[in-house]
Amino acid sequence: MVNGDMKNVASLLLLLNFCMYAIILGIGGWAMNRAIDYGFIIGPELKLPAHFSPIYFPMGNAATGFFVTFALLAGVVGAASVIAGINHVCTWTAESLPSTASVAAIAWTLTLLAMGFTCKEIEHGPRNARLRTMEAFLFILSVTQLFYIAAIHGAASITRRP
């Protein structure tokens, strides 16, 4: 019975994580598109400004470019971890656990890295509401992804007992 409960918890966390990673990808895609469309354009004299950054975003602050880039990476890998997680929840065997756990751990570490840039962006000051939404989702995902990893490992330790 406990194993079935862990499967339900893992399924719920998978659904929640997928929705939040999809929102991060949507907002991050918007920010990247806006940066490409309205970012720095080199004029005909081809001189770079003194403080030129190749990761320039017209909204937010100096940390926004790094934040959005790593949030997009975390979102893509997180969505891939959900696909592996769905496979594991459907089979729920010890053979599918290592690949699922490793992809989930990589997604979690990338989420933590993006959350670190979130902290730096908050420290630097003003940003718009969409970026604040993305920051909030990254904070929540850093916890829920860890709970998902614990849920699939907890179920594995329960099924291995004699």
Side-chain angles (χ1 to χ4, degrees):
M1 183 65 185
V2 174
N3 196 10
D5 290 341
M6 295 304 270
K7 187 175 180 179
N8 291 335
V9 168
S11 299
L12 178 67
L13 287 171
L14 271 175
L15 179 66
L16 178 66
N17 287 352
F18 179 74
C19 291
M20 287 195 291
Y21 279 125
I23 290 169
I24 285 177
L25 285 172
I27 297 172
W30 165 83
M32 187 66 71
N33 184 47
R34 186 138 174 100
I36 290 170
D37 288 345
Y38 301 107
F40 181 76
I41 299 171
I42 299 175
E45 64 274 356
L46 298 176
K47 292 181 184 175
L48 294 176
H51 299 289
F52 174 72
S53 173
I55 304 178
Y56 171 73
F57 280 70
M59 78 295 276
N61 52 47
T64 302
F66 296 103
F67 163 65
V68 170
T69 301
F70 283 99
L72 283 171
L73 284 172
V76 169
V77 176
S81 76
V82 169
I83 293 169
I86 290 170
N87 180 41
H88 176 64
V89 167
C90 288
T91 59
W92 205 255
T93 62
E95 290 82 23
S96 65
L97 177 64
S99 63
T100 303
S102 64
V103 174
I106 291 169
W108 180 61
T109 55
L110 283 172
T111 303
L112 288 179
L113 181 62
M115 192 182 71
F117 285 114
T118 298
C119 294
K120 193 55 141 176
E121 187 182 34
I122 291 170
E123 177 185 323
H124 276 289
R127 61 228 182 265
N128 65 17
R130 289 179 182 153
L131 293 176
R132 287 193 303 266
T133 302
M134 202 158 88
E135 293 164 1
F137 278 116
L138 279 170
F139 276 116
I140 296 167
L141 269 169
S142 64
V143 175
T144 59
Q145 187 71 14
L146 180 64
F147 286 163
Y148 167 69
I149 293 170
I152 61 175
H153 276 90
S157 65
I158 290 170
T159 57
R160 288 188 195 141
R161 290 184 184 161

